[in-house]
Amino acid sequence: MATSSTKKWWKNAVIYQIYPRSFCDSNGDGIGDIGGIISKLHYLKDLGVDAIWLSPVYSSPGYDNGYDISDYKDINPDFGTMEDMERLISRAKRLGIKIIMDLVINHTSDHHEWFQKALAGDPKYRDYYYFREGKGHGAPNNWGSFFGGKAWTKTESGDYYLHLFSKRQPDLNWHNPDVYEEITDIMRFWLDKGVAGFRCDVINIIYKESLENGIKRFSLTGREHYLNTEGCHELIQRFNSEVWSKYKTFIVGETVMVTPDDAKLLSDENRKELDAVFFFEHMDVDSRGIKWFKKKYRPCKLIRILDKWQEALEVPANYFENHDQIRSVNHFGNTGKYWEKSAKLLCGLNLSLRGVPFIYEGEEIGMTNADFRGLRDIKDIESYNINQAMKRLLFVHSVRRKLILQTTRDNARTPVQWDSSEGAGFTTGEPWIKINANKSYINVQDESADENSILNFYKKMIEFRKNSQALAEGNYRRVASPNDVYIFTRESKDERLYIYCNLTGFTKAVEFYGDNIIFGNYPESKWEKSYLKPYEFRIVASNI
Ligand code: ISL
Ligand code: CA
C-alpha cells in the first residue's frame, strides 16, 4: 500500500479536457486560444478539477485541428506563443492545476520539416517515415485508413507513403532509433517546462510489425500488423523507464480497439507502461461495427460494458465525452424533457466509477450535439473524407447528410457556451464553427446562478467524490442491473456506498440497499425507497 506521501497524485484526480479551438477566444479572431484558457482557470478551479488535458496546441497547419503537428517545440500562432504557454503552466500551477499535454507521435503533419526533407529526397528523413514502392498498379499493401479510403498516398516521385489517418498525417517509422531520440527529446522538453504528463494519441498502434497485406475486413484492413504489437509494448516501457519515471508524470494512453486483456497489459502497474488507458467499447455500444452506422442504444448493454471494464482494470480512464465523440446527453441520455436529469445522472455515474474521471469541456453544463444546418457547416477532415468515401459508394446526399450529421466529431467541437450573447461569450468575432442556438439556456453564466443547475451538480459531485474515501479509492462490486438500472457498491475500509443509476426515462422499481440517501439528482426522493424516477441517480450510505 502506498502511503500518502508516495501516493501518486493522479490517483484521486478529476481531469478536464480542453479542446483549445473551441474553449475560449481572447482576441476576437473566432478561434479559442491559450489566453482564453488562462482567463478561465478560476472557473476550472472553482469546478474542482485537478488537471487539464490540453488537446494539441503545437504548431500545425490544422488539417486535423492540431493532431497534425508540424513543430513539437512551438505553439500554433492561432493559440498564442510559447510565452503564453509558459504563463498557462505557471498560472495553473499556482492554482494547483496540472497540465497534461496531448502527444501525437504515431504521425506528424506533412508540413513537418522532417517530412518536407524526406519528400525532397533526404535519405535520413525518408527513413523517419514509411516510403515504399507501389505493387503492380497500386499501393504497397491493402491497408485502410481510419478516416476512410486507403492508408497510402502516392508522391510526385511515384512512390507511396503510409498514413493510418489522413494523407496530411504521415506515419512515423518507430523502427528507426533516430525517431525514438527525437520524440523522447520532445517529451523531456515539455516535462522540463513543467507539464505533468501526456495523453498519448493512438499510442497502441505506433509500432508496425510488418507492412504485409492484411486480412480483408470491412474496416481497417491491416490492423493485425500494428495493433498492440510486442514492439509497441517495448517502446512504451522504454519511454517509461528512460523518461516518464524521472518526472512525477501521469500518462494516459488513447488505445484504440483495445480489449480488457490488451488494456491490462498496457496499464498493469508492474509492467511499467501506461498509468491508465482510454477504452472505446462503451462509445460503440450503439454502432454496427463502423461508427457511422448506428443501432438503437440499449442501457443494459452499456451497463454490461462498464461493469466488465470496472472489473478488468484497477484504474480505468472513465469518460462519456471527448472531442471525437458525440455529446453524452445525445448518446446515453435525453435532450428533451430529461435533459437536465440525464446530464446529472451521467455526471454522477462518471464520478462514481472506479478510476480517473475525465470531463470534456461543456459536458459540465450539459451541452448537446451541434445544430448544423447541413454538411456545409461541418469542418472536420474525418467527416470530409467519409463523405467522399460514401460518394464513391454512391450513397445519395440525404443519406450521407443524415449519417454524418448524427455522428460527426464536430458535434463536440462547437464553442463552449459561456453566456447567451451572440458569440456565447466564446468570441466577439466570427466563430470558426457554428455556435449552438441553445446557448440561450445552456450556458455557464445562467447555470452558475442557478443552484440546481447541471453545473452546480458537477461541482457538488466533484466535491463529494473528493471527500469520499470509498469513491476515491474503494473497491467496486456490481450488485444488480435489473431493467436498465445499474447498481454497484464502492467500498473502502470504513465506508460503503451503494450507487443507483436509472439509465432510462421511466420510473423503475428496485430493491433498496443501504440506509440513507446522501446524494442524488432528485433531492426530494429521500423517502421513495423502492422506486427510481427517470434518470435518477442516487448514492446511498450503508453501515459496514
Ligand atoms: O474518431 C474516432 C472514433 O470516433 C476515432 O477513430 C479516432 O480517429 C481515433 O480514436 C484516434 O483519435 C485520435 O487520433 C486522431 C485524431 O484525429 C483524433 O482527434 C484523436 O483523438 C489522429 O491523430
Ligand atoms: Ca483567438
Side-chain angles (χ1 to χ4, degrees), residues 117-281:
K117 286 186 176 162
L119 280 183
D122 184 333
K124 173 173 160 71
Y125 291 101
R126 284 178 68 81
D127 197 35
Y128 275 39
Y129 298 91
Y130 291 101
F131 284 93
R132 294 291 184 278
E133 294 303 322
K135 282 218 177 102
H137 291 294
N141 69 29
N142 66 353
W143 294 8
S145 139
F146 277 68
F147 290 167
K150 288 202 164 44
W152 295 89
T153 288
K154 202 172 186 169
T155 69
E156 273 173 12
S157 37
D159 55 358
Y160 291 77
Y161 65 90
L162 176 71
H163 55 85
L164 288 183
F165 293 87
S166 83
K167 66 176 184 196
R168 301 294 187 173
Q169 295 161 301
D171 280 41
L172 283 166
N173 171 15
W174 278 98
H175 292 259
N176 182 346
D178 290 345
V179 168
Y180 182 89
E181 290 310 319
E182 299 265 18
I183 300 286
T184 45
D185 174 59
I186 288 160
M187 292 179 188
R188 289 193 192 93
F189 173 86
W190 286 104
L191 291 168
D192 289 336
K193 282 202 185 292
V195 313
F198 299 108
R199 173 268 189 189
C200 300
D201 193 64
V202 294
I203 192 71
N204 62 327
I205 63 171
I206 65 174
Y207 190 85
K208 283 76 184 171
E209 216 144 57
S210 83
L211 293 181
E212 269 156 41
N213 275 336
I215 303 162
K216 279 215 173 78
R217 296 174 200 270
F218 193 36
S219 93
L220 287 177
T221 295
R223 67 188 188 210
E224 65 276 19
H225 296 297
Y226 57 75
L227 201 56
N228 309 313
T229 56
E230 227 5 84
C232 178
H233 286 293
E234 279 166 25
L235 267 175
I236 298 174
Q237 281 166 10
R238 281 185 67 198
F239 294 153
N240 190 319
S241 68
E242 291 170 20
V243 188
W244 301 336
S245 62
K246 312 270 191 267
Y247 303 78
K248 280 190 182 144
T249 54
F250 171 60
I251 309 287
V252 55
E254 187 209 25
T255 50
V256 288
M257 296 179 277
V258 281
T259 63
D261 285 339
D262 305 325
K264 267 190 228 170
L265 290 180
L266 287 158
S267 63
D268 176 348
E269 231 177 327
N270 300 316
R271 288 172 56 92
K272 299 197 168 26
E273 296 188 21
L274 304 165
D275 293 316
V277 301
F278 288 115
F279 56 94
F280 288 87
E281 199 178 345

Side-chain angles (χ1 to χ4, degrees), residues 64 67 104 107 146-147 165 169 199 201-202 254 256 280 291 323-325 382 409 413:
D64 191 14
Y67 285 88
V104 188
H107 45 266
F146 277 68
F147 290 167
F165 293 87
Q169 295 161 301
R199 173 268 189 189
D201 193 64
V202 294
E254 187 209 25
V256 288
F280 288 87
K291 70 173 187 175
H323 64 292
D324 291 334
Q325 304 293 336
E382 182 196 43
R409 305 191 296 184
R413 299 176 180 183

Side-chain angles (χ1 to χ4, degrees), residues 235-367:
L235 267 175
I236 298 174
Q237 281 166 10
R238 281 185 67 198
F239 294 153
N240 190 319
S241 68
E242 291 170 20
V243 188
W244 301 336
S245 62
K246 312 270 191 267
Y247 303 78
K248 280 190 182 144
T249 54
F250 171 60
I251 309 287
V252 55
E254 187 209 25
T255 50
V256 288
M257 296 179 277
V258 281
T259 63
D261 285 339
D262 305 325
K264 267 190 228 170
L265 290 180
L266 287 158
S267 63
D268 176 348
E269 231 177 327
N270 300 316
R271 288 172 56 92
K272 299 197 168 26
E273 296 188 21
L274 304 165
D275 293 316
V277 301
F278 288 115
F279 56 94
F280 288 87
E281 199 178 345
H282 60 317
M283 290 291 128
D284 298 332
V285 60
D286 57 348
S287 92
R288 295 180 192 274
I290 298 190
K291 70 173 187 175
W292 307 97
F293 299 109
K294 293 263 184 273
K295 60 185 183 206
K296 193 173 161 27
Y297 157 62
R298 294 193 189 281
C300 59
K301 282 205 179 150
L302 178 70
I303 295 170
R304 225 176 299 140
I305 294 169
L306 291 177
D307 178 60
K308 178 166 88 182
W309 285 88
Q310 285 287 294
E311 291 284 352
L313 302 181
E314 218 163 292
V315 194
N318 296 314
Y319 70 101
F320 289 125
E321 282 184 21
N322 64 36
H323 64 292
D324 291 334
Q325 304 293 336
I326 61 170
R327 290 287 182 178
S328 59
V329 280
N330 293 78
H331 211 163
F332 311 113
N334 183 289
T335 52
K337 186 170 166 201
Y338 297 120
W339 163 69
E340 184 205 310
K341 292 294 182 199
S342 68
K344 290 178 179 175
L345 164 90
L346 292 167
C347 162
L349 175 55
N350 191 19
L351 285 147
S352 303
L353 289 170
R354 161 157 97 161
V356 181
F358 284 76
I359 300 167
Y360 176 67
E361 62 179 36
E363 186 176 5
E364 76 278 18
I365 54 170
M367 277 180 64

